[in-house]
Amino acid sequence: MENEKAKKKPVAAPKKQKASIGDYFKGIKTEMKKVIWPTKKELGSYTAVVLFTCAFFAVGFWLIDLGILSALKAILGISL
């Protein structure tokens, strides 16, 4: 039984025809109709989250950079 499954050849996929540029844009239009756009309120809250996250990481990286700079100054005895 297993030998029968192993002997079967995979079925070749049919060749795809080249689509026209009009079909391409029709497909885009169809897909854009499926999109669920955020409301104005949701967009505002998403924007606030992104801005807060960027500010949080910017301050975090600044503090890490400041700490590494201070450590290097102390190790190498550099003063400005």
Side-chain angles (χ1 to χ4, degrees):
M1 185 110 182
E2 289 183 32
N3 289 338
E4 292 175 17
K5 289 181 183 178
K7 290 181 183 179
K8 289 184 181 179
K9 293 182 181 179
V11 178
K15 289 185 178 181
K16 292 184 180 180
Q17 293 181 353
K18 196 171 187 179
S20 70
I21 194 83
D23 290 337
Y24 175 74
F25 285 110
K26 285 179 187 175
I28 290 176
K29 188 175 179 181
T30 302
E31 290 300 318
M32 290 302 288
K33 287 180 182 177
K34 296 177 186 178
V35 175
I36 299 173
W37 298 100
T39 63
K40 198 170 188 177
K41 186 177 179 181
E42 289 173 332
L43 186 61
S45 65
Y46 295 158
T47 303
V49 168
V50 169
L51 291 176
F52 174 77
T53 304
C54 289
F56 176 79
F57 278 99
V59 170
F61 288 132
W62 176 69
L63 290 173
I64 291 170
D65 182 57
L66 190 64
I68 291 172
L69 181 63
S70 297
L72 284 174
K73 283 182 180 179
I75 292 170
L76 299 175
I78 299 173
S79 63
L80 295 175

